[in-house]
Amino acid sequence: MTARRAHLPVGDTAILISCLYLTSAPAQPAAGRLAEEFGPRRVFVAGIVLKFTAGVVGSSAHSLTALIVARVLIGAGTSAGNPAAMLLIRRRAEQAGHEAPPRGCSADC
C-alpha cells in the first residue's frame, strides 16, 4: 500500500521503516536466547508463522495502524531466522567433532 493510495502524507509512512528496525534490534538477541532455551527449529518455525501472519495482516490492511502491526510482526519474524540458523550450524559442527563451524567453503561445495 503506498502513501498516496492510503491517503497519507509520505512523511507519516516513515514510521513503517522505523518500527521494523526498532523491533528487529531487540528481537534478534531475544530469538537467539529463545533458540538456546527451546530449540532452534521451534524458534525458526515461530518466525515463519510470524512472517506469514504479517503477510495476512499487511495484505488486508486498510489503515496505517494495521501496516505498523504487520511491519512489527515482520521484524520479529525475520529476527528469528539468523540466530536459529547459526545455532543449528554450531550444533552440527560440534556433532561432527569440530571446535567451530567452518569459515569457508572448498571447491567441492
Side-chain angles (χ1 to χ4, degrees):
M1 176 186 288
T2 63
R4 183 178 301 159
R5 196 168 127 202
H7 305 291
L8 296 168
V10 173
D12 288 353
T13 60
I15 193 167
L16 294 173
I17 297 167
S18 301
C19 67
L20 177 85
Y21 290 116
L22 290 172
T23 300
S24 298
Q28 196 161 21
R33 174 72 73 182
L34 290 171
E36 289 177 347
E37 186 72 27
F38 298 107
R41 285 182 179 87
R42 288 181 179 160
V43 172
F44 186 75
V45 170
I48 291 171
V49 169
L50 282 173
K51 289 192 281 186
F52 176 78
T53 304
V56 171
V57 170
S59 64
S60 63
H62 294 290
S63 68
L64 182 60
T65 303
L67 289 174
I68 291 170
V69 169
R71 292 293 284 198
V72 167
L73 291 172
I74 289 170
T78 302
S79 295
N82 286 343
M86 293 309 297
L87 186 57
L88 284 170
I89 291 169
R90 187 174 62 207
R91 286 184 180 173
R92 180 67 182 125
E94 289 171 357
Q95 288 173 352
H98 300 286
E99 291 181 18
R103 297 230 180 249
C105 188
S106 66
D108 298 333
C109 289

